[in-house]
Amino acid sequence: MANNASNPAQDSWDYIVVGSGAGGGTVAARLAEAGYTVLLLEAGSDCKQPLEDGAREPGAERLPADYDVPCFHTFASENEAMRWDFFVRHYSDAKAQQLDPKYREINDGQRVDGVLYPRAGTLGGCTAHNAMIFVYPHDDDWDGIAELTGDNSWNSENMRRYFERLENCHHREPERLLAQIGMNPSRHGWHGWLHTECAIPLSALLEKDLRDVLIASIKEAVHEMGYVADQVEWSLQGLLDPNDWRTVRANSIGLHYMPLTTKDHARIGTRERVLEVAARHPDRLHTELNALATRVLFDENRRAIGVEYLKGQNLYKAHAHPNMMPGVRRTAYAQREVILAGGAFNTPQLLMLSGIGPAEELQRHGIEVCVDLAGVGKNLQDRYEIGVVNRMNFEEWEIFEGAEFSTGDSQYDCWDRSREGAYTTNGTLLSMYKRSAPERPLPDLFCLAVLGRFEGYFPGYSRVFATNRNYLTWAVLKAHTNNRAGRVTLRSADPLDMPEVNFHYFEEGTPDDGQDLDSVVDGIRFVRKLTDRLRRKDVIAEETLPGETLQSDDELRQYVRNNAWGHHASCTCAIGPRESGGVLDSHFRVHGTIGLRVVDASVFPRIPGFFIACAVYMIGEKAADVILEDARPLTESFD
């Protein structure tokens, strides 16, 4: 029997949601709008507000700007007021892991034994520090779930409705006018709560160096990718918009601009959504900040009836400055359901701490088994990413003239006063979709031009990015990866501890005859061709990384093994049959339980699309629908 508890009248809610990110914040707001009482537990504080005792945390002097200003997103991910620093393994093999220059054995005097993986402990979760890129997944990502589960509500045609429901598109204004008379060929959303914009400052197009990069890259890309007629058709039809329904359906390749989740060129995410709904319905939606969930409570029928949590600031050890105090133990009760939305690392950790997971893993830590569910924490997936870093033959991009990436510079004044200039962007210039090999069923390479030096995540990376102002990085992102061998396991039974995370990269992972590795190498070769013309014209002084001395396939493969990273962790509580390692049914319900669901990046059987934020927002909307559809006394027996 697991975690028995009574259910007193006080502190009782219809629903308890754990985690306020793209999944949890979205579903909590919808349930409250539907008339139910919802307790939203968030382990962090609201980074834009003083702490409950009126104090300010380290890093708060850069807030709210780090949160609001799109170009400050790297600083947001390292801001001490909200950052959670996970250090993850890419390899079990110590020699292979230590070849990564980003690897740290010790950080700030603490043993970390891994590579930095930034997470956010604040209201809004990782929507508070991400790069705001909002890119629709491929239709096959949704159709695959429909086929796996036999649940046709997951098909791509139906799932597009959730995109339309949540989006408020402000980067296709002529089509916004057409939508008012019932014409919507792009199938954007025009009235949702999540604003999307595109920021390409006019000054960027006027600057000669940037024009040279754009023109040279586009010419080379069109030639290299082929399918010229198709690229022209997709460009004319979708106007380079990656989220246009017609180009999504076509699995298009080629040039695209980047929609961002911004409103008036300032960050917007689930923080704003939760606060807005709570202001309208203060009797329905309550957010409990600084509340670290420690276990789910069950009755004798394995029905989730509540959550135990610790109340206190910065209790979790991932915080930049963890609190050494134990916190105050509290309990909240749910009349209907408990919904976990802590993300791909923390949701499986909380399930295992609650007695749900692989029995052997639970028993190893002395945790009583409530449900032996082998798939919890397994199937961890991510993209592979690598940077091709070029030093330019000038001192600074003109667009960043006067930029100090702080509130005291002229660029900030321009953003603050008129929402114009370089700070309206996230630092990206343009992106390309392509197939790494003709036989790939979907475009699997996303190549993004970034104005700055970006070679992955390590302590202090944001400052390196901002201070090297004469660099152009082509970030190569390999999507639809084959590797499903990553795992999240408990470090201990202490809920304040971080779990152990190992992605088991490349040869340590799912056998695929080197396809993932070769795809990343193809991406490197492709973006090198995009910059060939710039090198010949001496616009680029040198390729800093991987460096021009590395040319053979074997040399580039080893470089990728040593340097690749990711930042889209997902799939650790996957939808699918229990006997095949699935953790959830198609309605997000945890197998073997009643009244317990998961709604976050961990639910996907396979990692979707290029960037997962859009997909997670969408499943938050879908989960609200199925929860409301099922809203009745939970008397069914579990499977």
Side-chain angles (χ1 to χ4, degrees):
M1 199 67 61
N3 305 337
N4 294 329
S6 61
N7 192 349
Q10 66 270 21
D11 207 12
S12 183
W13 309 80
D14 291 325
Y15 297 95
I16 298 175
V17 180
V18 179
S20 63
T26 299
V27 74
R30 283 291 181 204
L31 294 176
E33 285 182 325
Y36 292 98
T37 60
V38 181
L39 174 64
L40 178 60
L41 297 177
E42 168 54 53
S45 60
D46 180 351
C47 68
K48 292 181 70 173
Q49 299 297 326
L51 297 174
E52 293 175 7
D53 60 5
R56 299 286 282 179
E57 293 191 67
E61 70 278 359
R62 287 192 58 94
L63 291 167
D66 276 1
Y67 180 96
D68 290 332
V69 180
C71 208
F72 289 8
H73 66 89
T74 60
F75 291 96
S77 69
E78 291 206 280
N79 189 294
E80 294 181 335
M82 58 178 169
R83 82 175 200 238
W84 277 7
D85 291 344
F86 281 81
F87 284 83
V88 306
R89 294 292 293 252
H90 295 163
Y91 303 99
S92 291
D93 181 82
K95 291 182 179 179
Q97 184 61 82
Q98 290 165 8
L99 291 173
D100 190 334
K102 301 182 295 300
Y103 170 77
R104 299 290 187 275
E105 183 176 359
I106 303 293
N107 184 61
D108 287 341
Q110 301 296 317
R111 180 171 175 78
V112 293
D113 188 29
V115 177
L116 178 64
Y117 204 107
R119 303 281 84 184
T122 188
L123 183 60
C126 288
T127 72
H129 78 176
N130 66 10
M132 296 151 287
I133 294 173
F134 191 70
V135 173
Y136 196 81
H138 290 108
D139 282 350
D140 280 19
D141 297 318
W142 304 125
D143 291 334
I145 299 177
E147 182 178 355
L148 174 70
T149 61
D151 183 345
N152 204 43
S153 71
W154 282 96
N155 72 54
S156 54
E157 176 70 31
N158 187 60
M159 289 302 296
R160 185 70 182 195
R161 294 189 306 111
Y162 295 111
F163 176 82
E164 293 178 62
R165 176 192 293 179
L166 72 93
E167 188 192 27
N168 194 329
C169 177
H170 286 267
H171 56 89
R172 297 287 295 272
E173 291 303 324
E175 294 220 14
R176 191 177 184 87
L177 296 174
L178 287 176
Q180 294 180 10
I181 58 173
M183 298 176 61
N184 190 14
S186 64
R187 289 195 66 178
H188 274 288
W190 310 103
H191 305 290
W193 60 268
L194 185 64
H195 284 234
T196 59
E197 299 173 321
C198 177
I200 304 176
L202 180 63
S203 55
L205 301 179
L206 296 177
E207 182 186 334
K208 180 181 183 302
D209 292 328
L210 281 177
R211 284 204 317 274
D212 286 346
V213 170
L214 284 166
I215 294 169
S217 299
I218 291 168
K219 284 182 177 178
E220 293 293 337
V222 171
H223 172 74
E224 285 297 321
M225 285 186 285
Y227 303 99
V228 175
D230 288 335
Q231 287 190 64
V232 171
E233 179 184 352
W234 294 327
S235 298
L236 292 174
Q237 192 173 62
L239 301 177
L240 307 183
D241 174 5
N243 297 336
D244 187 294
W245 175 243
R246 294 159 295 189
T247 54
V248 169
R249 299 286 277 184
N251 294 322
S252 65
I253 62 172
L255 176 68
H256 294 287
Y257 65 78
M258 284 295 94
L260 304 181
T261 50
T262 58
K263 182 178 182 180
D264 193 22
H265 298 300
R267 178 189 298 274
I268 186 173
T270 48
R271 176 189 178 275
E272 288 68 35
R273 171 67 166 154
V274 166
L275 292 177
E276 186 272 329
V277 173
R280 282 192 286 119
H281 303 292
D283 56 329
R284 298 183 199 165
L285 179 57
H286 173 69
T287 302
E288 186 76 1
L289 299 173
N290 301 307
L292 178 67
T294 58
R295 62 172 180 157
V296 179
L297 305 175
F298 296 94
D299 67 12
E300 62 277 5
N301 296 315
R302 295 184 227 171
R303 173 182 170 182
I305 60 170
V307 175
E308 190 177 84
Y309 65 96
L310 293 175
K311 179 70 173 176
Q313 297 166 6
N314 308 338
L315 296 175
Y316 197 54
K317 291 181 181 177
H319 193 278
H321 300 285
N323 189 343
M324 294 298 104
M325 300 300 289
V328 178
R329 192 170 302 278
R330 293 184 180 175
T331 305
Y333 295 92
Q335 296 284 352
R336 290 182 173 273
E337 298 189 18
V338 173
I339 301 156
L340 305 185
F345 299 159
N346 290 104
T347 289
Q349 179 186 19
L350 183 54
L351 283 174
M352 288 186 279
L353 291 172
S354 306
I356 300 173
E360 183 179 356
E361 171 74 3
L362 303 183
Q363 291 163 355
R364 184 165 69 95
H365 296 284
I367 298 171
E368 183 180 358
V369 179
C370 175
V371 181
D372 182 3
L373 197 53
V376 174
K378 296 181 181 177
N379 195 48
L380 173 63
Q381 297 172 44
D382 206 341
R383 325 283 185 216
Y384 292 119
E385 299 182 49
I386 203 75
V388 177
V389 182
N390 300 280
R391 181 173 60 82
M392 310 306 287
N393 220 346
F394 46 79
E395 291 186 1
E396 182 181 70
W397 294 103
E398 289 180 20
I399 191 173
F400 287 130
E401 183 179 357
E404 298 296 332
F405 295 91
S406 72
T407 57
D409 65 32
S410 58
Q411 291 277 5
Y412 178 83
D413 287 342
C414 181
W415 175 87
D416 190 41
R417 184 176 59 254
S418 58
R419 292 297 196 266
E420 295 179 351
Y423 285 2
T424 63
T425 79
N426 63 357
T428 62
L429 187 61
L430 75 161
S431 67
M432 307 280 182
Y433 294 8
K434 77 178 294 283
R435 286 178 170 85
S436 60
E439 64 270 20
R440 300 286 184 263
L442 295 170
D444 63 320
L445 291 180
F446 180 99
C447 303
L448 186 68
V450 181
L451 301 183
R453 177 171 183 150
F454 182 52
E455 53 202 79
Y457 300 103
F458 52 88
Y461 88 96
S462 59
R463 180 52 58 185
V464 171
F465 180 81
T467 55
N468 288 273
R469 299 178 194 170
N470 62 336
Y471 278 80
L472 171 69
T473 298
W474 273 99
V476 175
L477 183 152
K478 160 60 182 159
H480 301 294
T481 47
N482 296 312
N483 189 10
R484 305 174 68 178
R487 289 198 63 182
V488 175
T489 55
L490 292 178
R491 189 181 306 272
S492 75
D494 183 352
L496 305 183
D497 269 348
M498 292 171 284
E500 294 184 336
V501 180
N502 194 326
F503 286 93
H504 294 292
Y505 272 13
F506 300 116
E507 287 87 354
E508 274 195 12
T510 306
D512 71 343
D513 295 323
Q515 286 185 19
D516 281 348
L517 188 58
D518 287 344
S519 292
V520 183
V521 170
D522 178 80
I524 292 174
R525 294 199 181 282
F526 172 67
V527 299
R528 278 178 163 178
K529 289 175 182 175
L530 300 188
T531 55
D532 274 348
R533 189 186 302 260
L534 299 172
R535 270 190 291 273
R536 293 195 299 269
K537 295 172 66 175
D538 289 328
V539 177
I540 289 177
E542 66 168 342
E543 180 184 286
T544 306
L545 295 171
E548 295 175 7
T549 60
L550 303 184
Q551 291 293 334
S552 72
D553 285 347
D554 284 344
E555 288 171 332
L556 292 177
R557 288 188 190 107
Q558 191 59 45
Y559 177 80
V560 171
R561 290 187 189 98
N562 296 351
N563 290 272
W565 70 86
H567 70 295
H568 296 134
S570 54
C571 306
T572 50
C573 298
I575 291 170
R578 183 174 181 175
E579 60 273 16
S580 302
V583 176
L584 313 173
D585 69 10
S586 67
H587 280 208
F588 306 93
R589 295 175 293 210
V590 177
H591 293 310
T593 71
I594 301 171
L596 180 62
R597 305 197 202 223
V598 173
V599 184
D600 60 27
S602 67
V603 309
F604 300 106
R606 301 299 302 270
I607 185 169
F610 291 118
F611 289 81
I612 63 173
C614 178
V616 179
Y617 281 121
M618 290 171 66
I619 61 112
E621 294 285 354
K622 177 174 174 55
D625 268 7
V626 299
I627 292 167
L628 294 171
E629 183 182 305
D630 292 346
R632 57 186 180 274
L634 295 174
T635 57
E636 308 95 297
S637 61
F638 52 80
D639 60 0

